[in-house]
Amino acid sequence: MKMRIFVSHADEDKDLAAALVTLLRLGMGVSQDDIFLSSDGTSIPNGVFFVQHILESLRTTNLTIAVLSASYFGSQFCSAEVGAAQLRRIEGTAKLYTLLVPPAKFADLGGALYGTQSGQILDAGDLSKLRDLVTHGMPSHPDTPTWEKARADFLAKAKAIVASKEAIAEIKPQGGLISR
């Protein structure tokens, strides 16, 4: 079965989402054509109403991976995406896999995610569970050493991104506009 993946993320987390897409491609063997990432500059064609395109992509995906950060929880757009993904999960038409980004924690899961089990983006075991979910039923995928290298590379990059965002959050004044 062909896996179509929608990576739901806040605009402020596009670097982390892009690193996750690299992990999906190199570590799990998912084709770039089978991944929707709104911030990559290619998933939404020029001249297309982006909201309709995002909704159509959510409707046709097999798996939504939500990158749950403080920015994500502050975005009405992200809340709508995860709500749609949660509905498809409940209907049995798609899967949902969530990954918390520090400093976000389980207590932050509310709204459509209230009571939802989640993984953590910096946890190697949670990433391996994602790999099992993605590669299940795939005729072929990268071998374990390739996966382990891709996962280690992702974790190093993700830890640096998270540390940078945490440092900025410590010095940035609270408030401001809510972004995607």
Side-chain angles (χ1 to χ4, degrees), residues 82-100:
V82 80
Q86 191 72 294
L87 177 63
R88 295 211 50 232
R89 184 199 61 77
I90 290 167
E91 292 174 338
T93 58
K95 296 188 182 305
L96 172 62
Y97 198 86
T98 59
L99 293 166
L100 283 167

Side-chain angles (χ1 to χ4, degrees), residues 53-76:
H53 192 78
I54 287 172
L55 290 172
E56 180 61 22
S57 295
L58 275 166
R59 188 185 68 75
T60 59
T61 192
N62 307 90
L63 171 64
T64 297
I65 302 170
V67 179
L68 307 176
S69 66
S71 297
Y72 194 95
F73 294 131
S75 166
Q76 291 179 3

